[in-house]
């Protein structure tokens, strides 16, 4: 029996645990590519609860769980009692008696925390207004694949040490999670957001705190990109904020990642976007569809890292 561990924020795991997870994800991906069976979760069930839309999170968790030998139950607000005001605490008690693992995509972080506090099984954050840890897990794994040791040996997270990630855009769930990852894994984030859409440092610090030296704010997005090893952005309007769409379009007009910003970064800088993307808004087509973009690897890697995560939360470290 492993001790009950939830994955609600990026800082819920340690740097050592991440080093293990990335190694494991590489192995799991290799086996997948070789059509080799990897079934550690036979007879285990994942409940997926979606209160917001999804393509990647749904497909990666569902396909991933089947590939691990388990099965999934898919619930949404509209087709379950969650949408008819059953208390979260009651839902958590019931769902976690029948399944082995729960993934939730919802609005406030406090909702997933209440669920986890009443769950008998591990709970994974599949995106909240505040954080998106599974996405950053995939993004960092993707960085390691492109810029890490070619023979895949040693501590895979070492290649991140001293590197700079430029965040251009909204101070949202993705930005908060990048700050957590930087503090834990020893890299720096240059953040540039329009005025009024800044990162909330208290939120980014989250439950376990982050180091102030691991991030820096820039009012000019070009300056944030200067010398960066990775440039990344996200939609101007996250799910749940649609009423602000028009105001955001005006405020974010200068925060479109273009070829000029990429030219300010390192010559071999990568471009990432968690997707879905809006070409001509937060990123130019020439950048997202250009040679420095690794967005399709990033999307695929959601599945491989989450398989490693699900296995770890249920079975612990395996030899
Ligand atoms: N990046 C991401 O989480 O995508 P979905 O909203 O499609 O799940
Ligand atoms: N920040 C975006 C990410 C989508 C995957 C949102 O929350 O809608």
């Amino acid at each position: 029996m492993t001790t009950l561990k939830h994955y609600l924020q990026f800082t819920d795991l340690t740097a050592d645990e991440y080093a293990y997870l990335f190694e494991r994800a590489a192995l799991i991906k290799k086996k997948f590519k070789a059509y080799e069976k990897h079934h550690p979760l036979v007879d285990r069930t994942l409940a997926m609860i979606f209160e917001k839309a999804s393509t990647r999170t749904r497909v990666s968790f569902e396909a991933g769980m089947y590939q691990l030998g388990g099965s999934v139950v898919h619930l949404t607000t509209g087709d379950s009692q969650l949408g008819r005001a059953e208390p979260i605490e009651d839902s958590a008690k019931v769902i976690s008696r029948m399944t082995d693992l729960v993934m939730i995509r919802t609005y406030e972080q406090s909702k997933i925390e209440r669920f986890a506090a009443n769950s008998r099984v591990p709970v994974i954050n599949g995106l909240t207004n505040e954080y998106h840890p599974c996405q950053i897990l995939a993004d960092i794994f993707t960085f390691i694949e492109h810029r890490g040791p070619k023979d895949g040996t040693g501590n895979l997270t070492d290649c991140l040490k001293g590197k700079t990630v430029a965040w251009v855009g909204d101070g949202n769930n993705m930005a908060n999670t990048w700050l957590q990852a930087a503090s834990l894994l020893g890299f720096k984030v240059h953040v540039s957001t329009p005025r009024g859409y800044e990162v909330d440092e208290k939120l980014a610090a989250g439950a376990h705190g982050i180091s102030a030296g691991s991030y820096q704010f820039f009012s000019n997005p070009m300056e944030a990109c200067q010398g960066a090893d990775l440039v990344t952005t996200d939609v101007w309007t996250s799910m749940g904020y649609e009423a602000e769409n028009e105001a955001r379009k005006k405020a974010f007009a200068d925060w479109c990642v273009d070829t000029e910003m990429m030219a300010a970064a390192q010559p071999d800088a990568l471009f990432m976007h968690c997707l879905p993307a809006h070409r001509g808004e937060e990123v130019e087509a020439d950048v997202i569809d250009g040679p420095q973009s690794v967005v399709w690897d990033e999307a695929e890697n959601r599945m491989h890292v989450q398989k490693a995560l699900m296995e770890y939360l249920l079975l612990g470290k395996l030899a």
Side-chain angles (χ1 to χ4, degrees):
M1 270 295 274
T2 52
T3 48
L4 180 60
K5 217 183 247 297
H6 302 297
Y7 191 55
L8 307 183
Q9 309 189 15
F10 197 87
T11 46
D12 282 349
L13 297 181
T14 64
D16 277 356
E17 289 176 301
Y18 280 112
Y20 168 79
L21 275 185
F22 293 129
E23 223 175 274
R24 196 73 192 162
L27 175 80
I28 287 172
K29 181 171 181 178
K30 205 166 146 199
K31 289 177 91 173
F32 172 78
K33 296 289 178 189
Y35 294 96
E36 218 180 296
K37 276 195 176 64
H38 181 70
H39 282 172
L41 300 187
V42 171
D43 292 337
R44 306 289 188 116
T45 305
L46 165 72
M48 305 190 299
I49 302 172
F50 284 98
E51 297 206 294
K52 288 175 177 171
S54 166
T55 297
R56 279 143 289 269
T57 303
R58 165 89 193 264
V59 178
S60 57
F61 269 104
E62 187 158 344
M65 191 56 176
Y66 286 132
Q67 289 161 21
L68 292 171
S71 50
V72 299
V73 176
H74 177 245
L75 293 163
T76 67
T77 316
D79 66 13
S80 69
Q81 302 290 5
L82 285 160
R84 298 182 62 251
E86 180 165 13
I88 290 194
E89 290 75 8
D90 294 2
S91 304
K93 283 175 188 151
V94 172
I95 293 167
S96 71
R97 279 186 181 227
M98 299 177 193
T99 61
D100 302 280
L101 192 57
V102 181
M103 187 285 304
I104 307 181
R105 167 168 287 195
T106 188
Y107 292 86
E108 297 81 19
Q109 182 74 8
S110 57
K111 280 180 115 176
I112 202 168
E113 281 168 4
R114 282 164 58 204
F115 193 103
N118 289 277
S119 172
R120 288 182 167 192
V121 302
V123 177
I124 298 173
N125 182 345
L127 180 147
T128 56
N129 290 349
E130 291 86 347
Y131 309 109
H132 197 2
C134 291
Q135 183 65 52
I136 303 299
L137 191 62
D139 294 2
I140 290 176
F141 182 69
T142 307
F143 187 86
I144 292 168
E145 276 191 330
H146 285 269
R147 295 287 176 260
K150 284 291 162 248
D151 60 358
T153 60
N155 185 331
L156 297 183
T157 57
D158 281 353
C159 67
L160 291 153
K161 299 241 175 346
K163 294 285 192 294
T164 300
V165 173
W167 175 265
V168 176
D170 192 15
N172 64 11
N173 43 11
M174 285 288 297
N176 290 337
T177 314
W178 269 115
L179 263 58
Q180 294 200 343
S183 173
L184 199 64
L185 300 178
F187 61 94
K188 197 160 179 186
V189 188
H190 285 181
V191 184
S192 180
T193 63
R195 200 182 296 229
Y197 298 95
E198 292 90 353
V199 163
D200 177 333
E201 291 176 79
K202 227 176 125 197
L203 267 187
H208 311 284
I210 59 170
S211 119
S214 60
Y215 61 91
Q216 199 177 335
F217 296 133
F218 294 82
S219 50
N220 182 343
M222 279 294 282
E223 275 174 35
C225 293
Q226 206 72 48
D229 301 282
L230 164 65
V231 177
T232 184
T233 186
D234 186 11
V235 291
W236 289 342
T237 305
S238 286
M239 291 180 279
Y241 299 84
E242 289 79 3
E244 301 173 12
N245 202 20
E246 285 315 306
R248 283 173 173 264
K249 275 189 177 169
K250 285 194 190 98
F252 282 79
D254 292 334
W255 276 261
C256 170
V257 177
D258 55 18
T259 47
E260 236 184 296
M261 285 187 202
M262 290 306 294
Q266 294 288 349
D268 70 342
L270 298 173
F271 172 78
M272 291 192 193
H273 189 310
C274 63
L275 306 176
H278 301 84
R279 289 168 178 76
E281 291 191 12
E282 75 274 8
V283 62
E284 260 185 4
D286 283 351
V287 171
I288 193 168
D289 300 318
Q292 287 165 276
S293 171
V294 291
V295 297
W296 313 121
D297 291 342
E298 221 186 321
E300 175 187 334
N301 283 336
R302 285 290 301 276
M303 185 174 81
H304 305 302
V305 294
Q306 288 162 192
K307 283 167 76 177
L309 176 69
M310 291 192 282
E311 185 192 73
Y312 178 63
L313 293 177
L314 287 177
L315 305 178
K317 283 189 185 172
L318 303 175

